[in-house]
C-alpha cells in the first residue's frame, strides 16, 4: 500500500465523516496475490494459430487453351474488346509465338510469388497431355500441394455435366475433359484456378464429384466385397481449393482497357491491375496528369519497400491481410492465409479481384467460399495510399524529385494507439493488428510498433492469442537476433507475455538460443545488468504507455539467492551449465530462517540450517553428492551413509523435510510426506515392493535428529508423543480435515484417513540367519502390492508455483490495479470501512469521556461449543472470536447470533493460546497461535457466503513441548510495521516480518522461565515481556542482541498475568501478577512509580487501552473491574436473567480495543459481554 493514491484523504467529505488517515497508511499483511489466489497456473487456452499441417505448393501446371486467332463458337465478343493475355496482345505476333510468349509470361508472373516451385506448361493441350502433366506433377509432389491453372478463353464454356474443353491432336475438334478425371489425376491437396466464362459451373461440378468420391469411400470401407473395394481408392478432395473467375451464369468482362484475363491479372499482377483500374475511375480526375501510360513508369521494384512500387505492394499486402483477418473466421484465415505462402498470396489478390470484377457485374467464386469483402472500409485507405503515390508521379518522372513515403503505416499505428487508449474492455479486436505485424518490417516504425504491440499483449491471454493467430511469432522470433539495444526491453516484455500464454514456444526459443547462443545471452545479461538496480515504480504512477511492469515490493521473499551476479553470467551459456551448477553457492537470506515462498513453507531455526553457505563448501549440492545419496543403502540410519556427518547436506535436508512434514499448513506437510516416503522407499536394501500393512500394526523409525528433538507425526486420534523423541513416523498420519461449518456443539471430529505405511523388504528377514540365505519367499500378493508402492517410486512433487508465477506475465501489468482506481468497487468498499472505523473511534471516545462508573450491563450471553480459552473482540465490527482448545467460534454480540464455528487444524494434544486480528481496519484476518509453536492465519471467517480458509501457516516457534501448565505461545501484533512478536515456553522473543515472510530477529530473554505476556510499541521500538518468574523485561529491538535488554524489573514475586505497554510517547508499563499486585513502571526509571493491590488468585486479566480500566477474573467465580487508581468499580458474580445462576470460574477475558466492553469466558462454557449503562451509551 505504498501508493500515494491510497495514502491520500477522501475527497468531498466533511470533518465529521472524514476517514482516519492512519487507516489509509497502514500496510496490509498477507494480502498479496499469492495469499489471495490459489497457487496454480492459468487455464491454457486452446492455441489454434499453430499450423500442424503447414504445406508448400511445389508444382504448378499452367494449362492454356487459347487457340489464338480462333474464337470459340459460344462466345460473341464485342468490338472493341479485351485482348491482352498476360499483358501481351496475341494478335501482335504469330499464333504459335504468341501462345508460347503468353505461357512464358504467365510462368514469370507466378514465379514472383513462388520462385522455387516446379512449373510445367501445357499449351493448347489434348486430354492425354493434361493427364500426363497432372499425374507426373502429383507423383513428384507426393503429399505437397499442386496448383492447376486453367485458361479457357479459346474453348467453349464449361458444361453442366462437369466438363471443360481441350483440343484433339489436329486442333479440329474441342474435346471435353471431365472434372472427375481431373480430380483423379491431380489428387489432393491441390488448388485450382479457372479463368473462363461460367467458371462457377466447374466449382459446382467439382463439389458434386467430391461428394460422390466420399460416398464411394464409405461404401468400400463398409463392404469389403463391393467391386469398389477391389479397386484403388479415389483420393479425397477435402484439402482442395478452387478460385473461379465468375459465377455459373456470368461471362467475363470485355472492357477494352482491361486485359482479357482480368482474373489472372488480379491474382498474379495485383499492383499493376489495381493502378490501372484506379486510373479508369472517375475519382482519378482529382489527380491531374495521371494517365494509363504514366502508371507503367512507376519507379522501383515490388520487393524493395523503399521504392514507390515496393511501398505500394507493402501497403497492399497489409490491407488485404487486414481485411481477411477481420472478415474471415479464424480457422479459415489460418488455412488460407497462413498455411501456404502461394495460397496466401493468391487469396490476398483474390480480394482485389472481387473488388475490381464486381464493378463490372462479375462475381469471382472461391471454395471455400469467402464472405463479401469488396465494400470493406480498408479499401478506402488503399485508395488514399494510391492517390498519394500517383499525385507525386509527374514531378518524380519529369523533375526527378524525391519520393515522399506514404503516411499509411504511421496513421494506422495511431489508430491502433487510439484503440488501446480510448476503448473499453469489452470490445471487438483492433482491425489494425495485422498492419502492426507488417510495420515490424520497417526500421522507421519498429520501435513504436513494438511498444504498441506490448501494450496490446498486456490486455490478457486473449490478446496474445489474437496476436499469435495473426502471425506475430516468426516476426518477434526474428527480432531477437536484432542488435538494436532500444528493442531489448520491449522484446523481453513481449516474449514474457507470449511464453506465459503458450509455454510450448519455449522449445522454439531454446533452439534459437542454441543457434545464436552468444548473441542472445549477451542481450539477456545486458538487460539484467541494466535492470538490476532499477527503482521500482508504484502502480499509481506508472504511465499508460510504459512497458515497465508493475511489480510487488522489492522485499518479496526468495527461496535462495545466487551468491553473486557473476554466477548468473556463468550459467548463461549451455556449455558451462553443468559445471556452473556445481559451483553455485546457495546462500540464505539474512536472519537465519529459510522462507519457502510463497509464504506457506517456512521452518524454524533448528530446522533451517543452511543447505549451503559461502563459508562451508561441503554444503554445495554437486552431482557427486547427489549420486552418493542415490546409492545410499538404508534410510533407517542416515549416520551410516558414506562418510556423512551431522552437518552434511544429507542430514540437513532430511531434518528440514522432517520439520516440513509436521508443518501446520496441510499442503506443505502433504508434499513433504510424499518426498519422505519416496526417499525412504528407494533407500531400502532391497526395493522390491512388499505388502502394505495396517497403520496401527507398524511404525517405522526414522533417523535420529542431531538435536535429539524430533518432529512427531502421529496417527489421527493417537496418543501424545512418548518420552523418546528420536523417531518420526514416515507417513502423514495427522488428519488433514476440511474446514466445516457443520461441526457439532461438542468437540470437532478428528477422524480422517491415515496415510499408508509400508515394510522395507529387509525387515522381513529374521535377526539371525545364514550368510547365503535367500530370504523370504515371494508371495502371490506381492503383485497386488506393487501398485501400492508406485506412489513411492514416482513421487514427483509438483506445486504449481512456477505456473502460478508465470501467470503474472499473462495478466495486465500496465493497467491501474483495481484497488488504486478511485471509482472501483474495491476502492469504494475500503472508503466505507474506513469511515466506519472513524465513526467507531469517535463514538467510543465520547462514551469513555463521559466517565465510567459501572461496567456490569450484560449485553450478550450465550453458551459456547467449547470451554473458552481465548477471547478477542474485532476492533470495528460487532464480532467476537472465542477459541476453545482447537476450534474457533464467532459471535455477533449485538444480535446474539453465532456466525461461524470451525476447527483450527491443530493436533488434538495442543491448544490455542493466543489470537490476533490482522488488518482489522480493512480486510480482517485472524491469527491463531497454539502451544506447539504453530501459527495459522484464517480468512473468510464469519462470512455467510464463503467457508473459512487458511491463508498461511508456519512454525512460529520451535522446540516448544506442549504442556498443560505452561504459558503456551503468546504473541503481539504491530499493524504499523507488519511485525509479529512471538514467545512463550521458550527462552527467546522471535520477531517475524510478515511482509517479507521471514524471521528477522531472535531476542534472548535472559531468563530460565517462560514468557507469559508480550506488549510492544512500534514508535519506540520497545518490547515488554512478562515472565513466569515474576520479572518484567524491556527490550529495544534496534540494539544488538547482547545489549537489547535495556531494563529488568523484579518487583513481582509470582507469575505475571499481564504486562501492557501504553501506546503513547510517554506511555508506562502496567503489569499484574497472580497475587493481584499492579505495578506501573516508567521505562526510563529502574523502579515502579506506582503500586496498587487488587484481588488475589487471578486466572485472567486485561487492561483497556483507552479507558484506564483493569478487569480481572478470579478462581472464586467472579470478575472485578478496577480503575487506574485501583478503586473497585464493580464485581460481576451472576449472569443476568430470571434464574441468575452463578458465574463459573473465569477462563479468559478481554476488553474491546475502543468501546468500554468486556468479554468474559468461563469454564461453564458461557461467554458474556458487559458494557456501561445504557443511558451512558
Amino acid at each position: 500500500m505504498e501508493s500515494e493514491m491510497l495514502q491520500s484523504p477522501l475527497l468531498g467529505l466533511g470533518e465529521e465523516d472524514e476517514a482516519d488517515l492512519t487507516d489509509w497508511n497502514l500496510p496490509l499483511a498477507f494480502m498479496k496475490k499469492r495469499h489471495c489466489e490459489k497457487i496454480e497456473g492459468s487455464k491454457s487456452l486452446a492455441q489454434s494459430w499453430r499450423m500442424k499441417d503447414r504445406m508448400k505448393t511445389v508444382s504448378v501446371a499452367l494449362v492454356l487453351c487459347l487457340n489464338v486467332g480462333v474464337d470459340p463458337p459460344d462466345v460473341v465478343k464485342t468490338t472493341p474488346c479485351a485482348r491482352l493475355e498476360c499483358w501481351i496482345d496475341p494478335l501482335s505476333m504469330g499464333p504459335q509465338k504468341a501462345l508460347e510468349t503468353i505461357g512464358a509470361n504467365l510462368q514469370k508472373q507466378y514465379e514472383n510469388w513462388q520462385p522455387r516451385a516446379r512449373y510445367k506448361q501445357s499449351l493448347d493441350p489434348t486430354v492425354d497431355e493434361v493427364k500426363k502433366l497432372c499425374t507426373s506433377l502429383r507423383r513428384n509432389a507426393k503429399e505437397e500441394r499442386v496448383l492447376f491453372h486453367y485458361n479457357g478463353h479459346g474453348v467453349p464454356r464449361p458444361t453442366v455435366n462437369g466438363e471443360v474443353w481441350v483440343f484433339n491432336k489436329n486442333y479440329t475438334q474441342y474435346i471435353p475433359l471431365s472434372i472427375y478425371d481431373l480430380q483423379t489425376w491431380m489428387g489432393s491437396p491441390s488448388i485450382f484456378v479457372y479463368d473462363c466464362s461460367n467458371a462457377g459451373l466447374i466449382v459446382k461440378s467439382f463439389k458434386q464429384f467430391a461428394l460422390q468420391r466420399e460416398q464411394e469411400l464409405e461404401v468400400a470401407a463398409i463392404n469389403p466385397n463391393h467391386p469398389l473395394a477391389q479397386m484403388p481408392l479415389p483420393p479425397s478432395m477435402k484439402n482442395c481449393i478452387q478460385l473461379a473467375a465468375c459465377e455459373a451464369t456470368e461471362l467475363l468482362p470485355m472492357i477494352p482497357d482491361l486485359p482479357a484475363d482480368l482474373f489472372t491479372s488480379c491474382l498474379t499482377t495485383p499492383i499493376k491491375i489495381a493502378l490501372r483500374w484506379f486510373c479508369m475511375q472517375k475519382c482519378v480526375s482529382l489527380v491531374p496528369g495521371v494517365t494509363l501510360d504514366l502508371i507503367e513508369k512507376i519507379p522501383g521494384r515490388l520487393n524493395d519497400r523503399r521504392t514507390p512500387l515496393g511501398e505500394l505492394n507493402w501497403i497492399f499486402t497489409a490491407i488485404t491481410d487486414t481485411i481477411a483477418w477481420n472478415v474471415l473466421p479464424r480457422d479459415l484465415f489460418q488455412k488460407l492465409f497462413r498455411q501456404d505462402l502461394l495460397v496466401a498470396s493468391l487469396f490476398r489478390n483474390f480480394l482485389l479481384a472481387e473488388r475490381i470484377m464486381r464493378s463490372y457485374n462479375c462475381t469471382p467464386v472461391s471454395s471455400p467460399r469467402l464472405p463479401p469483402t469488396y465494400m470493406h472500409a480498408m479499401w478506402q485507405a488503399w485508395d488514399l495510399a494510391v492517390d498519394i503515390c500517383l499525385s507525386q508521379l509527374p514531378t518524380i518522372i519529369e523533375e526527378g524529385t524525391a519520393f515522399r513515403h506514404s503516411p499509411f503505416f504511421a496513421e494506422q499505428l495511431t489508430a491502433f494507439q487510439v484503440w488501446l487508449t480510448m476503448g473499453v474492455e469489452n470490445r471487438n479486436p483492433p482491425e489494425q493488428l495485422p498492419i502492426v505485424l507488417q510495420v515490424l518490417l520497417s526500421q522507421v516504425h519498429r520501435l513504436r510498433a513494438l511498444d504498441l504491440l506490448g501494450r496490446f499483449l498486456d490486455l490478457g491471454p486473449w490478446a496474445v492469442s489474437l496476436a499469435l493467430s495473426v502471425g506475430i511469432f516468426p516476426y518477434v522470433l526474428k527480432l531477437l537476433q536484432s542488435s538494436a539495444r532500444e528493442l531489448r526491453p520491449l522484446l523481453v516484455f513481449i516474449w514474457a507475455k507470449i511464453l506465459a500464454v503458450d509455454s510450448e514456444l519455449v522449445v522454439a526459443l531454446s533452439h534459437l538460443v542454441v543457434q545464436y547462443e552468444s548473441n542472445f545471452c549477451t542481450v539477456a545479461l545486458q538487460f539484467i545488468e541494466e535492470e538490476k538496480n532499477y527503482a521500482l515504480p508504484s502502480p499509481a504512477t506508472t504511465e499508460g504507455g510504459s512497458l515497465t511492469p508493475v511489480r510487488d515490493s522489492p522485499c518479496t521473499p526468495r527461496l535462495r539467492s545466487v551468491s553473486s551476479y557473476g554466477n548468473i553470467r556463468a550459467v548463461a551459456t549451455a556449455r558451462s551449465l553443468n559445471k556452473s551448477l556445481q559451483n553455485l553457492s546457495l546462500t540464505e537470506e539474512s536472519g537465519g530462517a529459510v522462507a519457502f515462498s510463497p509464504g506457506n513453507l517456512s521452518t524454524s531455526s533448528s530446522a533451517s540450517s543452511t543447505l549451503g553457505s559461502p563459508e562451508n563448501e561441503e554444503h554445495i549440492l554437486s552431482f557427486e553428492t547427489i549420486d552418493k545419496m542415490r546409492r545410499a543403502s538404508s534410510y533407517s540410519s542416515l549416520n551410516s551413509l558414506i562418510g556423512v556427518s551431522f552437518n552434511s547436506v544429507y542430514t540437513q535436508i532430511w531434518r528440514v523435510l522432517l520439520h516440513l512434514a509436521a508443518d501446520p499448513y496441510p499442503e506443505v506437510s502433504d508434499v513433504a510426506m510424499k518426498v519422505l516416503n519416496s526417499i525412504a522407499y528407494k533407500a531400502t536394501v532391497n526395493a522390491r515392493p512388499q505388502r502394505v500393512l495396517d497403520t496401527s500394526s507398524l511404525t517405522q523409525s526414522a533417523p535420529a535428529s542431531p538435536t535429539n528433538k524430533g518432529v512427531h507425526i502421529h496417527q489421527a486420534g493417537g496418543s501424545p508423543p512418548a518420552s523418546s523423541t528420536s523417531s518420526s513416523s514416515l507417513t502423514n498420519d495427522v488428519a488433514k480435515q476440511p474446514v466445516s461449518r457443520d461441526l457439532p456443539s461438542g468437540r470437532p471430529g478428528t477422524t480422517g484417513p491415515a496415510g499408508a505405511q509400508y515394510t522395507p523388504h529387509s525387515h522381513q528377514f529374521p535377526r539371525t540367519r545364514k550368510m547365503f540365505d535367500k530370504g523370504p519367499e515371494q508371495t502371490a500378493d506381492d503383485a497386488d502390492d506393487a501398485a501400492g508402492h508406485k506412489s513411492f517410486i514416482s513421487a514427483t512433487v509438483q506445486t504449481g508455483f512456477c505456473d502460478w508465477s508465470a501467470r503474472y506475465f499473462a495478466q495486465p501489468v500496465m493497467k491501474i490495479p483495481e484497488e488504486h482506481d478511485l471509482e472501483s468497487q474495491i476502492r469504494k468498499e475500503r472508503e466505507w470501512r474506513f469511515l466506519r472505523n472513524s465513526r467507531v473511534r469517535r463514538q467510543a471516545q465520547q462514551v469513555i469521556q463521559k466517565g465510567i462508573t459501572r461496567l456490569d450491563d450484560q449485553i450478550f450471553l450465550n453458551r459456547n461449543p467449547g470451554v473458552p480459552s481465548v477471547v478477542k473482540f474485532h476492533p470495528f465490527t460487532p464480532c467476537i472470536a472465542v477459541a476453545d482448545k482447537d476450534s474457533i467460534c464467532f459471535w455477533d454480540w449485538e444480535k446474539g447470533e453465532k456466525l461461524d464455528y470451525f476447527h483450527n487444524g491443530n493436533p488434538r494434544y495442543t491448544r490455542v493460546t493466543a489470537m490476533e486480528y490482522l488488518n482489522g481496519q480493512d480486510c480482517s484476518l485472524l491469527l491463531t497461535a497454539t502451544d506447539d509453536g504453530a501459527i495459522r492465519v484464517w480468512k473468510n471467517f464469519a462470512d455467510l457466503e464463503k467457508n473459512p480458509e487458511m491463508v498461511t501457516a508456519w512454525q512460529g516457534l520451535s522446540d516448544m513441548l506442549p504442556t498443560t501448565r505452561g504459558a503456551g505461545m503468546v504473541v503481539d501484533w504491530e499493524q504499523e510495521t507488519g511485525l509479529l512478536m512471538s514467545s512463550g515456553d521458550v527462552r527467546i522473543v522471535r520477531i517475524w516480518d510478515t511482509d517479507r515472510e521471514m524471521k528477522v530477529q531472535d531476542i534472548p530473554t535472559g531468563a530460565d522461565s517462560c514468557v507469559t505476556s508480550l506488549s510492544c510499541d512500534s514508535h519506540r521500538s520497545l518490547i515488554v515481556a512478562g515472565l513466569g518468574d515474576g520479572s518484567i523485561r524491556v527490550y529495544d529491538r534496534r540494539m544488538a542482541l547482547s545489549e537489547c535488554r535495556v531494563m529488568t524489573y523484579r518487583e513481582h514475586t509470582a507469575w505475571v498475568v499481564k504486562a501492557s505497554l501504553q501506546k503513547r510517547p510517554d506511555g508506562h508499563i502496567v503489569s499484574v501478577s497472580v497475587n493481584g499486585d499492579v505495578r506501573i513502571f516508567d521505562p526510563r526509571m529502574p523502579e515502579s512509580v506506582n503500586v496498587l493491590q487488587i484481588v488475589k488468585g487471578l486466572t485472567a486479566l486485561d487492561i483497556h487501552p483507552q479507558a484506564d480500566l483493569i478487569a480481572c477474573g478470579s478462581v472464586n467465580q467472579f470478575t472485578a473491574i478496577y480503575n487506574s487508581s485501583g478503586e473497585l468499580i464493580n464485581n460481576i458474580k451472576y449472569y443476568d436473567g430470571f434464574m441468575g445462576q452463578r458465574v463459573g470460574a473465569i477462563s479468559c477475558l478481554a476488553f474491546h480495543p475502543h468501546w468500554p466492553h468486556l468479554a468474559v469466558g468461563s469454564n461453564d462454557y458461557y461467554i458474556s459481554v458487559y458494557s456501561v449503562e445504557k443511558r451512558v451509551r
Side-chain angles (χ1 to χ4, degrees), residues 894-1128:
E894 280 188 350
K895 298 179 180 179
E897 298 175 352
K898 184 167 72 171
L899 301 175
D900 213 340
Y901 184 51
F902 63 90
H903 188 249
N904 185 52
N906 50 295
R908 60 178 296 179
Y909 54 83
T910 62
R911 58 193 174 94
V912 178
T913 58
M915 287 193 300
E916 289 286 348
Y917 280 104
L918 312 183
N919 314 329
Q921 81 287 357
D922 200 349
C923 300
S924 300
L925 305 175
L926 182 71
L927 180 144
T928 64
T930 51
D931 59 359
D932 60 350
I935 297 174
R936 295 169 177 86
V937 180
W938 296 90
K939 67 178 180 179
N940 299 338
F941 50 85
D943 191 327
L944 298 179
E945 298 179 356
K946 301 177 182 177
N947 288 325
E949 183 179 344
M950 187 184 292
V951 178
T952 186
W954 73 97
Q955 197 68 27
L957 291 173
S958 56
D959 302 329
M960 286 185 64
L961 293 179
T963 60
T964 56
R965 301 180 60 185
M969 185 177 186
V970 294
V971 297
D972 196 33
W973 167 247
E974 275 189 5
Q975 188 71 50
E976 298 83 1
T977 60
L979 296 180
L980 178 69
M981 321 298 166
S982 59
S983 189
D985 297 326
V986 288
R987 304 298 177 258
I988 59 171
V989 176
R990 176 164 293 169
I991 303 176
W992 293 92
D993 186 338
T994 59
D995 183 46
R996 291 183 290 171
E997 299 183 22
M998 62 183 297
K999 182 191 70 178
V1000 293
Q1001 207 168 4
D1002 270 351
I1003 300 176
T1005 60
D1008 292 331
S1009 60
C1010 61
V1011 176
T1012 62
S1013 178
L1014 276 179
S1015 183
C1016 57
D1017 184 359
S1018 60
H1019 299 290
R1020 292 182 285 177
S1021 300
L1022 294 181
I1023 301 175
V1024 174
L1027 282 82
D1029 61 1
S1031 63
I1032 304 295
R1033 301 178 183 237
V1034 183
Y1035 307 93
D1036 189 334
R1037 63 173 182 258
R1038 297 169 297 184
M1039 303 178 68
L1041 294 180
S1042 59
E1043 304 172 354
C1044 63
R1045 178 154 56 96
V1046 293
M1047 195 69 69
T1048 302
Y1049 302 104
R1050 303 183 185 275
E1051 299 184 15
H1052 291 294
T1053 58
W1055 183 287
V1056 176
V1057 181
K1058 181 78 173 182
S1060 175
L1061 177 60
Q1062 297 172 339
K1063 304 287 196 300
R1064 51 179 183 261
D1066 57 346
H1068 290 171
I1069 301 170
V1070 182
S1071 63
V1072 187
S1073 74
V1074 294
N1075 291 333
D1077 55 327
V1078 180
R1079 298 184 182 272
I1080 302 174
F1081 303 94
D1082 186 329
R1084 298 166 295 184
M1085 307 296 291
E1087 297 178 349
S1088 60
V1089 296
N1090 197 5
V1091 179
L1092 308 172
Q1093 184 64 44
I1094 58 176
V1095 65
K1096 295 184 179 181
L1098 302 183
T1099 57
L1101 184 138
D1102 197 21
I1103 303 171
H1104 199 288
Q1106 310 288 339
D1108 292 331
L1109 296 175
I1110 300 175
C1112 55
S1114 171
V1115 292
N1116 297 322
Q1117 295 180 274
F1118 71 89
T1119 303
I1121 294 95
Y1122 297 86
N1123 61 19
S1124 57
S1125 302
E1127 300 173 353
L1128 178 67

Side-chain angles (χ1 to χ4, degrees), residues 151-389:
N151 183 323
H153 294 177
V155 294
R157 288 176 283 178
T159 68
V160 294
N161 296 326
E163 299 165 329
V164 294
W165 299 94
V166 289
F167 304 96
N168 62 0
K169 292 184 178 180
N170 300 323
Y171 298 98
T172 57
Q173 289 182 341
Y174 299 112
I175 306 297
L177 170 62
S178 172
I179 298 299
Y180 186 92
D181 293 337
L182 185 62
Q183 287 179 344
T184 305
W185 303 334
M186 285 292 294
S188 177
S190 299
I191 177 171
F192 299 85
V193 178
Y194 314 121
D195 190 347
C196 59
S197 296
N198 301 142
L201 275 177
I202 308 176
V203 177
K204 289 183 178 180
S205 302
F206 192 99
K207 292 180 179 178
Q208 292 174 357
F209 291 138
L211 181 60
Q212 177 183 335
R213 289 177 182 276
E214 295 298 328
Q215 294 172 349
E216 292 173 357
L217 288 172
E218 292 176 2
V219 170
I222 296 174
N223 187 3
N225 298 324
H226 195 277
L228 290 175
Q230 311 302 324
M231 302 171 59
L233 294 179
S236 173
M237 294 291 109
K238 288 183 178 180
N239 291 327
C240 290
I241 300 170
Q242 301 176 84
L243 298 175
C246 58
E247 286 281 10
T249 59
E250 295 175 348
L251 298 178
L252 296 179
M254 302 180 187
I255 310 301
D257 291 331
L258 294 175
D261 60 345
L262 178 60
F263 186 62
T264 300
S265 299
C266 290
L267 294 183
T268 58
T269 56
I271 303 302
K272 188 172 183 177
I273 191 64
L275 294 176
R276 192 175 189 89
W277 179 77
F278 181 81
C279 291
M280 295 170 60
Q281 308 306 303
K282 296 179 181 179
C283 61
V284 80
S285 58
L286 298 174
V287 186
V290 176
T291 63
L292 291 175
D293 295 332
L294 190 63
I295 63 173
E296 299 289 343
K297 302 177 182 178
I298 295 181
R301 301 190 310 275
L302 287 173
N303 56 1
D304 187 353
R305 293 189 297 270
R306 296 169 297 181
T307 62
L309 195 59
E311 185 178 73
L312 279 177
N313 187 50
W314 186 23
I315 294 173
F316 175 80
T317 301
I319 286 178
T320 50
D321 224 31
T322 300
I323 293 174
W325 186 74
N326 282 283
V327 173
L328 270 61
R330 293 285 176 261
D331 55 346
L332 186 58
F333 175 82
Q334 290 291 326
K335 178 180 179 181
L336 301 182
F337 287 82
R338 292 295 180 264
Q339 190 183 57
D340 187 325
L341 291 177
L342 180 58
V343 172
S345 300
L346 290 178
F347 267 93
R348 278 196 295 266
N349 301 341
F350 178 80
L351 302 184
L352 174 69
E354 183 189 17
R355 186 188 191 209
I356 292 178
M357 299 187 73
R358 273 183 177 268
S359 66
Y360 300 112
N361 300 319
C362 190
T363 307
V365 179
S366 69
S367 177
R369 181 175 290 273
L370 305 185
T373 60
Y374 65 101
M375 293 295 290
H376 197 278
M378 287 302 295
W379 284 121
Q380 298 177 17
W382 166 249
D383 291 340
L384 177 61
V386 172
D387 210 342
I388 293 174
C389 178

